[in-house]
Amino acid sequence: MDKKVRSEAAETQTASNFIHNIIDKDLETQKYGDRVYTRFPPEPNGYLHIGHAKSICLNFSTAQKYGGKCNLRYDDTNPIKEDMEYVDSIEEDVKWLGFQWDKRLWASDYFDKMYEAAVDLIKKGKAFVCDLNAEQIREYRGTLKEPGKESPYRNRSIEENLALFEEMRDGKYADGEKVLRAKIDMASPNINLRDPVIYRIAHTSHHNTGDKWCIYPMYDFAHPIEDAIEGITHSICTLEFEDHRPLYEWVLHALGWWEAPPQQIEFARLNLTNTVMSKRYLKAMVEDGTVESWDDPRMPTIAGLRRRGYTPEAVRDFCERIGVSKANSLVDIALLEHCVREDLKSKVQSRNVVENPIKIVLTNYPEDKTEELEIENNKEVPEMGSRKVPFSRELYVDGEDFMEVPVKKYFRLFPGNEVRFKGAYFITCNEVIKNEDGSIKELHCTYDPETKSGSGFEGRKVKGTIHWVDARTAVKIKIRQYDYLMIEDENGENIINPNSLKEIEAYAEPAVAGAEPGERFQFFRHGYYIADTKLSTDTEKVFNRIVDLKSSWKK
Ligand code: ATP
Ligand code: MG
């Protein structure tokens, strides 16, 4: 099947998972009628990473599968500093992955509604203002083995609570002096239900609401209300929130405002080998200069993957293959690499590029002659045609393709051996010419005109085929080779890899000079590469190695 068709099909024929099973049942019982409404709720405090991609794919493709809708909602109930850079990057990333939100919303737009909800809980005798400080609240909370102790402020009258809460809102108290708590059960085996704090005082400006508020709702109180206001049916989150689900349900039930309140469903977050996935940690690496930027091609951010050369199709395919489950696990990063190789192999053209070049002089080839040889662009996809590649007396081959003293089973170039120069001729290495310091200056070789590629020559066979670049027209390019940012030290501890970036120079066939920023190629026998969108100029092309050709992925 054509690649494009397959990726489009993937969007509509998402494989089933346990979340879809829940939705199927809800549709059967008409719990939400025919509605399936999800949301992706990032906190705009950093760039999104590959873990978020899993959540994005899950939320958006679930909505797609059921003809439903998915909102993009910024979870900005914390008065964090506005950073439009993050907001813009989030939108770019979601769109790049191929999804379109129904509505773009800000949780802070619901502050009035949340305040109203808090007042309603107080009126219902289900919330109270508490004067204990944070440390006391922690002490009173108890442990997993011991029940908590009720706050001495728990039995304040409704009137007193309403008045105090209003004073909190009006700025009468300092940060931490009072909080609003839900009145649930200090003996609950679930500590989240032991009268959790639902509103706190923070005299901090908010990027959206300015100084309108000096009290802010806590996540566990705010989130179910945000979902309910938007008519979300299935609120999908990661497993850490499983213990918070009873509180999510309590808030919605205690308010009783919504006929068919949303339900929270948890799935296991993505963990990847050699990868840290925490915005806070990634931010620190940007700030301390461990990496160049949020979109450094080594970063597991979506922006980093994009600049590295990953395609949205490959990332979506990866998210599809890892599936959705309730059990935490660690996914091998080799699977992600496998997905991008699979996607690119039939999409990109091949080019000849040599690293650690060794010069070849064909002593029996005319000095002033240049041939234009026709070389196929993609061996697996004949429709991708061919290109003309110059060939003349002086060429370069890859440093890896010559050994002065060959090891066993080495079929490439060595003195006395004949190999095929791909798309050209059979070449025999006759003599190694050295510099004064003993290093190799050039190899003197001869070509056999009878053996021209495509001529049907069957006289003899050679075992090695190597690629080459014409010396006179070669383009010098810079290649950035990446290794994992995180590796394990000898004790199995994750450490930052000090050698995650290696820059080398290479020679490329002339067609590479015209590469547009963002254009991808296979560099024959090396791997997949993309012309970097930030560093490439008209005069110097810089390529990121997306992935090499060898797969270490095993099912
Ligand atoms: P981080 O800890 O990296 O900052 P977060 O969970 O705080 O991540 P949010 O912006 O709050 O980041 O997350 C938005 C959504 O993405 C949430 O629904 C969250 O569950 C989901 N998400 C975050 N990390 C992962 C992950 N590794 N795998 C799957 N989903 C994730
Ligand atoms: Mg978060």
Side-chain angles (χ1 to χ4, degrees), residues 461-496:
K461 288 204 159 60
V462 289
K463 278 201 169 144
T465 299
I466 67 177
H467 67 287
W468 47 272
V469 166
D470 172 54
R472 217 174 325 169
T473 53
V475 181
K476 200 191 262 182
I477 61 170
K478 195 183 269 174
I479 289 179
R480 303 184 112 210
Q481 293 178 340
Y482 303 106
D483 196 354
Y484 302 124
L485 256 186
M486 305 301 297
I487 48 172
E488 282 189 359
D489 67 7
E490 58 272 23
N491 305 317
E493 297 285 330
N494 278 329
I495 55 160
I496 290 176

mmCIF file of all heavy atoms in Angstrom, residues 461-496:
data_model
loop_
_atom_site.group_PDB
_atom_site.id
_atom_site.type_symbol
_atom_site.label_atom_id
_atom_site.label_comp_id
_atom_site.label_asym_id
_atom_site.label_seq_id
_atom_site.Cartn_x
_atom_site.Cartn_y
_atom_site.Cartn_z
ATOM 1 N N LYS A 461 32.882 -11.571 -11.393
ATOM 2 C CA LYS A 461 32.122 -10.969 -10.294
ATOM 3 C C LYS A 461 33.084 -10.406 -9.254
ATOM 4 O O LYS A 461 34.194 -10.916 -9.093
ATOM 5 C CB LYS A 461 31.231 -12.029 -9.644
ATOM 6 C CG LYS A 461 30.049 -12.428 -10.506
ATOM 7 C CD LYS A 461 28.928 -12.990 -9.628
ATOM 8 C CE LYS A 461 27.572 -12.934 -10.307
ATOM 9 N NZ LYS A 461 27.485 -13.704 -11.570
ATOM 10 N N VAL A 462 32.618 -9.365 -8.555
ATOM 11 C CA VAL A 462 33.412 -8.898 -7.406
ATOM 12 C C VAL A 462 32.505 -8.930 -6.184
ATOM 13 O O VAL A 462 31.284 -8.872 -6.295
ATOM 14 C CB VAL A 462 33.947 -7.468 -7.616
ATOM 15 C CG1 VAL A 462 35.037 -7.447 -8.664
ATOM 16 C CG2 VAL A 462 32.830 -6.507 -7.966
ATOM 17 N N LYS A 463 33.134 -9.021 -5.036
ATOM 18 C CA LYS A 463 32.325 -9.177 -3.819
ATOM 19 C C LYS A 463 31.900 -7.851 -3.186
ATOM 20 O O LYS A 463 30.881 -7.771 -2.534
ATOM 21 C CB LYS A 463 33.101 -10.010 -2.798
ATOM 22 C CG LYS A 463 32.969 -11.496 -3.072
ATOM 23 C CD LYS A 463 33.291 -12.294 -1.827
ATOM 24 C CE LYS A 463 32.913 -13.747 -2.018
ATOM 25 N NZ LYS A 463 33.860 -14.645 -1.349
ATOM 26 N N GLY A 464 32.745 -6.823 -3.336
ATOM 27 C CA GLY A 464 32.427 -5.572 -2.630
ATOM 28 C C GLY A 464 31.869 -4.514 -3.563
ATOM 29 O O GLY A 464 32.294 -4.385 -4.708
ATOM 30 N N THR A 465 30.861 -3.773 -3.063
ATOM 31 C CA THR A 465 30.356 -2.611 -3.791
ATOM 32 C C THR A 465 30.496 -1.411 -2.874
ATOM 33 O O THR A 465 30.021 -1.447 -1.733
ATOM 34 C CB THR A 465 28.874 -2.793 -4.165
ATOM 35 O OG1 THR A 465 28.770 -3.939 -5.007
ATOM 36 C CG2 THR A 465 28.335 -1.581 -4.899
ATOM 37 N N ILE A 466 31.152 -0.373 -3.332
ATOM 38 C CA ILE A 466 31.280 0.810 -2.490
ATOM 39 C C ILE A 466 30.816 2.042 -3.253
ATOM 40 O O ILE A 466 30.675 2.016 -4.481
ATOM 41 C CB ILE A 466 32.721 0.994 -1.945
ATOM 42 C CG1 ILE A 466 33.703 1.309 -3.073
ATOM 43 C CG2 ILE A 466 33.174 -0.239 -1.172
ATOM 44 C CD1 ILE A 466 35.115 1.578 -2.552
ATOM 45 N N HIS A 467 30.554 3.097 -2.514
ATOM 46 C CA HIS A 467 30.100 4.325 -3.165
ATOM 47 C C HIS A 467 31.256 5.329 -3.196
ATOM 48 O O HIS A 467 32.292 5.108 -2.577
ATOM 49 C CB HIS A 467 28.864 4.884 -2.475
ATOM 50 C CG HIS A 467 29.120 5.374 -1.088
ATOM 51 N ND1 HIS A 467 29.331 4.510 -0.030
ATOM 52 C CD2 HIS A 467 29.227 6.632 -0.585
ATOM 53 C CE1 HIS A 467 29.525 5.231 1.062
ATOM 54 N NE2 HIS A 467 29.472 6.503 0.762
ATOM 55 N N TRP A 468 31.064 6.425 -3.893
ATOM 56 C CA TRP A 468 32.173 7.320 -4.218
ATOM 57 C C TRP A 468 31.603 8.693 -4.524
ATOM 58 O O TRP A 468 30.390 8.859 -4.710
ATOM 59 C CB TRP A 468 32.898 6.789 -5.463
ATOM 60 C CG TRP A 468 31.893 6.432 -6.528
ATOM 61 C CD1 TRP A 468 31.260 5.231 -6.679
ATOM 62 C CD2 TRP A 468 31.316 7.307 -7.503
ATOM 63 N NE1 TRP A 468 30.335 5.290 -7.686
ATOM 64 C CE2 TRP A 468 30.361 6.556 -8.225
ATOM 65 C CE3 TRP A 468 31.526 8.642 -7.858
ATOM 66 C CZ2 TRP A 468 29.601 7.108 -9.265
ATOM 67 C CZ3 TRP A 468 30.776 9.197 -8.894
ATOM 68 C CH2 TRP A 468 29.822 8.417 -9.592
ATOM 69 N N VAL A 469 32.498 9.663 -4.573
ATOM 70 C CA VAL A 469 32.104 11.019 -4.933
ATOM 71 C C VAL A 469 33.182 11.572 -5.860
ATOM 72 O O VAL A 469 34.371 11.343 -5.625
ATOM 73 C CB VAL A 469 31.991 11.888 -3.651
ATOM 74 C CG1 VAL A 469 31.930 13.359 -3.993
ATOM 75 C CG2 VAL A 469 30.770 11.492 -2.839
ATOM 76 N N ASP A 470 32.764 12.254 -6.893
ATOM 77 C CA ASP A 470 33.716 12.855 -7.836
ATOM 78 C C ASP A 470 34.448 14.019 -7.146
ATOM 79 O O ASP A 470 33.814 14.921 -6.589
ATOM 80 C CB ASP A 470 32.915 13.361 -9.050
ATOM 81 C CG ASP A 470 33.788 14.165 -9.998
ATOM 82 O OD1 ASP A 470 34.842 13.641 -10.414
ATOM 83 O OD2 ASP A 470 33.413 15.318 -10.312
ATOM 84 N N ALA A 471 35.781 13.994 -7.188
ATOM 85 C CA ALA A 471 36.546 14.947 -6.381
ATOM 86 C C ALA A 471 36.376 16.390 -6.848
ATOM 87 O O ALA A 471 36.236 17.303 -6.044
ATOM 88 C CB ALA A 471 38.027 14.571 -6.396
ATOM 89 N N ARG A 472 36.359 16.590 -8.146
ATOM 90 C CA ARG A 472 36.343 17.961 -8.651
ATOM 91 C C ARG A 472 35.037 18.682 -8.311
ATOM 92 O O ARG A 472 35.018 19.873 -8.059
ATOM 93 C CB ARG A 472 36.516 17.922 -10.174
ATOM 94 C CG ARG A 472 37.365 19.071 -10.687
ATOM 95 C CD ARG A 472 37.653 18.941 -12.164
ATOM 96 N NE ARG A 472 37.821 17.538 -12.579
ATOM 97 C CZ ARG A 472 37.869 17.165 -13.856
ATOM 98 N NH1 ARG A 472 37.745 18.032 -14.818
ATOM 99 N NH2 ARG A 472 38.017 15.895 -14.167
ATOM 100 N N THR A 473 33.932 17.944 -8.288
ATOM 101 C CA THR A 473 32.634 18.579 -8.064
ATOM 102 C C THR A 473 32.084 18.317 -6.659
ATOM 103 O O THR A 473 30.961 18.697 -6.350
ATOM 104 C CB THR A 473 31.615 18.045 -9.086
ATOM 105 O OG1 THR A 473 31.636 16.610 -9.024
ATOM 106 C CG2 THR A 473 31.948 18.504 -10.486
ATOM 107 N N ALA A 474 32.901 17.674 -5.817
ATOM 108 C CA ALA A 474 32.404 17.320 -4.478
ATOM 109 C C ALA A 474 32.035 18.566 -3.679
ATOM 110 O O ALA A 474 32.674 19.615 -3.807
ATOM 111 C CB ALA A 474 33.464 16.525 -3.727
ATOM 112 N N VAL A 475 31.001 18.437 -2.857
ATOM 113 C CA VAL A 475 30.558 19.530 -1.992
ATOM 114 C C VAL A 475 30.918 19.161 -0.560
ATOM 115 O O VAL A 475 30.568 18.083 -0.088
ATOM 116 C CB VAL A 475 29.016 19.683 -2.093
ATOM 117 C CG1 VAL A 475 28.543 20.824 -1.214
ATOM 118 C CG2 VAL A 475 28.604 19.870 -3.524
ATOM 119 N N LYS A 476 31.609 20.082 0.088
ATOM 120 C CA LYS A 476 31.954 19.802 1.482
ATOM 121 C C LYS A 476 30.740 20.120 2.358
ATOM 122 O O LYS A 476 30.166 21.213 2.255
ATOM 123 C CB LYS A 476 33.140 20.673 1.891
ATOM 124 C CG LYS A 476 33.857 20.116 3.117
ATOM 125 C CD LYS A 476 34.845 21.094 3.671
ATOM 126 C CE LYS A 476 36.269 20.809 3.188
ATOM 127 N NZ LYS A 476 37.234 21.754 3.792
ATOM 128 N N ILE A 477 30.336 19.186 3.172
ATOM 129 C CA ILE A 477 29.192 19.428 4.065
ATOM 130 C C ILE A 477 29.592 19.099 5.498
ATOM 131 O O ILE A 477 30.622 18.456 5.729
ATOM 132 C CB ILE A 477 27.953 18.567 3.681
ATOM 133 C CG1 ILE A 477 28.294 17.064 3.776
ATOM 134 C CG2 ILE A 477 27.451 18.930 2.304
ATOM 135 C CD1 ILE A 477 27.077 16.168 3.656
ATOM 136 N N LYS A 478 28.765 19.579 6.436
ATOM 137 C CA LYS A 478 29.006 19.256 7.838
ATOM 138 C C LYS A 478 27.910 18.289 8.284
ATOM 139 O O LYS A 478 26.727 18.501 7.973
ATOM 140 C CB LYS A 478 28.973 20.532 8.670
ATOM 141 C CG LYS A 478 29.555 20.347 10.056
ATOM 142 C CD LYS A 478 29.441 21.607 10.880
ATOM 143 C CE LYS A 478 30.668 22.504 10.740
ATOM 144 N NZ LYS A 478 30.446 23.792 11.461
ATOM 145 N N ILE A 479 28.333 17.266 8.974
ATOM 146 C CA ILE A 479 27.350 16.300 9.471
ATOM 147 C C ILE A 479 27.396 16.297 10.988
ATOM 148 O O ILE A 479 28.468 16.269 11.592
ATOM 149 C CB ILE A 479 27.660 14.886 8.937
ATOM 150 C CG1 ILE A 479 27.348 14.833 7.433
ATOM 151 C CG2 ILE A 479 26.859 13.822 9.682
ATOM 152 C CD1 ILE A 479 27.638 13.502 6.804
ATOM 153 N N ARG A 480 26.206 16.365 11.586
ATOM 154 C CA ARG A 480 26.130 16.265 13.048
ATOM 155 C C ARG A 480 25.586 14.881 13.393
ATOM 156 O O ARG A 480 24.446 14.554 13.066
ATOM 157 C CB ARG A 480 25.215 17.362 13.601
ATOM 158 C CG ARG A 480 25.647 18.758 13.200
ATOM 159 C CD ARG A 480 24.749 19.783 13.859
ATOM 160 N NE ARG A 480 25.485 20.555 14.841
ATOM 161 C CZ ARG A 480 24.955 21.087 15.939
ATOM 162 N NH1 ARG A 480 23.687 20.914 16.213
ATOM 163 N NH2 ARG A 480 25.682 21.782 16.767
ATOM 164 N N GLN A 481 26.452 14.119 14.031
ATOM 165 C CA GLN A 481 26.056 12.764 14.442
ATOM 166 C C GLN A 481 25.665 12.805 15.911
ATOM 167 O O GLN A 481 26.408 13.306 16.740
ATOM 168 C CB GLN A 481 27.232 11.807 14.272
ATOM 169 C CG GLN A 481 27.603 11.598 12.824
ATOM 170 C CD GLN A 481 28.801 10.686 12.667
ATOM 171 O OE1 GLN A 481 29.570 10.492 13.601
ATOM 172 N NE2 GLN A 481 28.965 10.124 11.493
ATOM 173 N N TYR A 482 24.509 12.256 16.197
ATOM 174 C CA TYR A 482 24.013 12.315 17.568
ATOM 175 C C TYR A 482 24.021 10.953 18.226
ATOM 176 O O TYR A 482 23.723 9.939 17.601
ATOM 177 C CB TYR A 482 22.583 12.862 17.588
ATOM 178 C CG TYR A 482 22.485 14.217 16.950
ATOM 179 C CD1 TYR A 482 21.918 14.389 15.688
ATOM 180 C CD2 TYR A 482 22.987 15.336 17.599
ATOM 181 C CE1 TYR A 482 21.847 15.635 15.098
ATOM 182 C CE2 TYR A 482 22.915 16.596 17.022
ATOM 183 C CZ TYR A 482 22.349 16.734 15.769
ATOM 184 O OH TYR A 482 22.278 17.965 15.182
ATOM 185 N N ASP A 483 24.357 10.976 19.489
ATOM 186 C CA ASP A 483 24.184 9.786 20.310
ATOM 187 C C ASP A 483 23.173 10.152 21.399
ATOM 188 O O ASP A 483 22.787 11.313 21.537
ATOM 189 C CB ASP A 483 25.540 9.382 20.913
ATOM 190 C CG ASP A 483 25.515 7.950 21.441
ATOM 191 O OD1 ASP A 483 24.430 7.327 21.446
ATOM 192 O OD2 ASP A 483 26.575 7.469 21.866
ATOM 193 N N TYR A 484 22.747 9.182 22.193
ATOM 194 C CA TYR A 484 21.738 9.459 23.217
ATOM 195 C C TYR A 484 22.242 10.509 24.206
ATOM 196 O O TYR A 484 23.407 10.511 24.582
ATOM 197 C CB TYR A 484 21.376 8.187 23.966
ATOM 198 C CG TYR A 484 20.863 7.117 23.045
ATOM 199 C CD1 TYR A 484 21.460 5.863 23.003
ATOM 200 C CD2 TYR A 484 19.790 7.374 22.200
ATOM 201 C CE1 TYR A 484 20.994 4.880 22.138
ATOM 202 C CE2 TYR A 484 19.321 6.401 21.329
ATOM 203 C CZ TYR A 484 19.929 5.159 21.302
ATOM 204 O OH TYR A 484 19.477 4.209 20.445
ATOM 205 N N LEU A 485 21.324 11.357 24.639
ATOM 206 C CA LEU A 485 21.656 12.370 25.646
ATOM 207 C C LEU A 485 21.911 11.734 26.997
ATOM 208 O O LEU A 485 22.713 12.209 27.783
ATOM 209 C CB LEU A 485 20.478 13.335 25.801
ATOM 210 C CG LEU A 485 20.551 14.712 25.185
ATOM 211 C CD1 LEU A 485 19.318 15.498 25.616
ATOM 212 C CD2 LEU A 485 21.815 15.452 25.573
ATOM 213 N N MET A 486 21.171 10.664 27.278
ATOM 214 C CA MET A 486 21.304 9.995 28.573
ATOM 215 C C MET A 486 21.863 8.600 28.342
ATOM 216 O O MET A 486 21.405 7.876 27.468
ATOM 217 C CB MET A 486 19.943 9.850 29.258
ATOM 218 C CG MET A 486 19.167 11.136 29.432
ATOM 219 S SD MET A 486 20.010 12.399 30.386
ATOM 220 C CE MET A 486 20.164 11.597 31.970
ATOM 221 N N ILE A 487 22.845 8.249 29.150
ATOM 222 C CA ILE A 487 23.361 6.884 29.097
ATOM 223 C C ILE A 487 23.484 6.369 30.533
ATOM 224 O O ILE A 487 23.358 7.140 31.489
ATOM 225 C CB ILE A 487 24.747 6.805 28.402
ATOM 226 C CG1 ILE A 487 25.689 7.872 28.972
ATOM 227 C CG2 ILE A 487 24.608 6.979 26.904
ATOM 228 C CD1 ILE A 487 27.124 7.759 28.495
ATOM 229 N N GLU A 488 23.754 5.096 30.647
ATOM 230 C CA GLU A 488 23.944 4.530 31.988
ATOM 231 C C GLU A 488 25.430 4.446 32.286
ATOM 232 O O GLU A 488 26.219 4.073 31.423
ATOM 233 C CB GLU A 488 23.342 3.126 32.045
ATOM 234 C CG GLU A 488 21.844 3.146 32.174
ATOM 235 C CD GLU A 488 21.265 1.772 32.455
ATOM 236 O OE1 GLU A 488 22.049 0.796 32.532
ATOM 237 O OE2 GLU A 488 20.041 1.684 32.603
ATOM 238 N N ASP A 489 25.798 4.804 33.513
ATOM 239 C CA ASP A 489 27.196 4.606 33.892
ATOM 240 C C ASP A 489 27.370 3.168 34.379
ATOM 241 O O ASP A 489 26.435 2.361 34.323
ATOM 242 C CB ASP A 489 27.642 5.631 34.944
ATOM 243 C CG ASP A 489 26.935 5.446 36.277
ATOM 244 O OD1 ASP A 489 26.199 4.449 36.436
ATOM 245 O OD2 ASP A 489 27.115 6.301 37.162
ATOM 246 N N GLU A 490 28.566 2.842 34.864
ATOM 247 C CA GLU A 490 28.823 1.436 35.208
ATOM 248 C C GLU A 490 27.945 0.921 36.357
ATOM 249 O O GLU A 490 27.756 -0.278 36.502
ATOM 250 C CB GLU A 490 30.328 1.208 35.504
ATOM 251 C CG GLU A 490 30.916 2.037 36.620
ATOM 252 C CD GLU A 490 31.427 3.399 36.120
ATOM 253 O OE1 GLU A 490 30.968 3.886 35.069
ATOM 254 O OE2 GLU A 490 32.269 3.984 36.809
ATOM 255 N N ASN A 491 27.352 1.881 37.129
ATOM 256 C CA ASN A 491 26.466 1.449 38.219
ATOM 257 C C ASN A 491 24.996 1.428 37.800
ATOM 258 O O ASN A 491 24.105 1.295 38.638
ATOM 259 C CB ASN A 491 26.619 2.381 39.430
ATOM 260 C CG ASN A 491 28.065 2.481 39.873
ATOM 261 O OD1 ASN A 491 28.773 1.473 39.937
ATOM 262 N ND2 ASN A 491 28.516 3.695 40.158
ATOM 263 N N GLY A 492 24.783 1.604 36.518
ATOM 264 C CA GLY A 492 23.397 1.591 36.050
ATOM 265 C C GLY A 492 22.663 2.894 36.312
ATOM 266 O O GLY A 492 21.447 2.985 36.162
ATOM 267 N N GLU A 493 23.399 3.946 36.708
ATOM 268 C CA GLU A 493 22.776 5.253 36.951
ATOM 269 C C GLU A 493 22.685 6.015 35.633
ATOM 270 O O GLU A 493 23.608 5.946 34.808
ATOM 271 C CB GLU A 493 23.642 6.081 37.913
ATOM 272 C CG GLU A 493 23.803 5.499 39.308
ATOM 273 C CD GLU A 493 22.547 5.672 40.152
ATOM 274 O OE1 GLU A 493 21.824 6.665 39.930
ATOM 275 O OE2 GLU A 493 22.314 4.809 41.018
ATOM 276 N N ASN A 494 21.576 6.753 35.473
ATOM 277 C CA ASN A 494 21.460 7.588 34.279
ATOM 278 C C ASN A 494 22.350 8.806 34.402
ATOM 279 O O ASN A 494 22.265 9.541 35.379
ATOM 280 C CB ASN A 494 20.013 8.041 34.103
ATOM 281 C CG ASN A 494 19.183 6.975 33.428
ATOM 282 O OD1 ASN A 494 19.689 6.201 32.622
ATOM 283 N ND2 ASN A 494 17.912 6.929 33.772
ATOM 284 N N ILE A 495 23.192 9.012 33.431
ATOM 285 C CA ILE A 495 24.018 10.221 33.422
ATOM 286 C C ILE A 495 23.926 10.877 32.047
ATOM 287 O O ILE A 495 23.502 10.260 31.075
ATOM 288 C CB ILE A 495 25.505 9.910 33.738
ATOM 289 C CG1 ILE A 495 26.040 8.842 32.775
ATOM 290 C CG2 ILE A 495 25.684 9.477 35.185
ATOM 291 C CD1 ILE A 495 27.536 8.826 32.696
ATOM 292 N N ILE A 496 24.340 12.144 32.010
ATOM 293 C CA ILE A 496 24.353 12.840 30.728
ATOM 294 C C ILE A 496 25.547 12.355 29.921
ATOM 295 O O ILE A 496 26.668 12.302 30.424
ATOM 296 C CB ILE A 496 24.399 14.364 30.959
ATOM 297 C CG1 ILE A 496 23.046 14.810 31.545
ATOM 298 C CG2 ILE A 496 24.688 15.097 29.656
ATOM 299 C CD1 ILE A 496 22.977 16.261 31.915
#
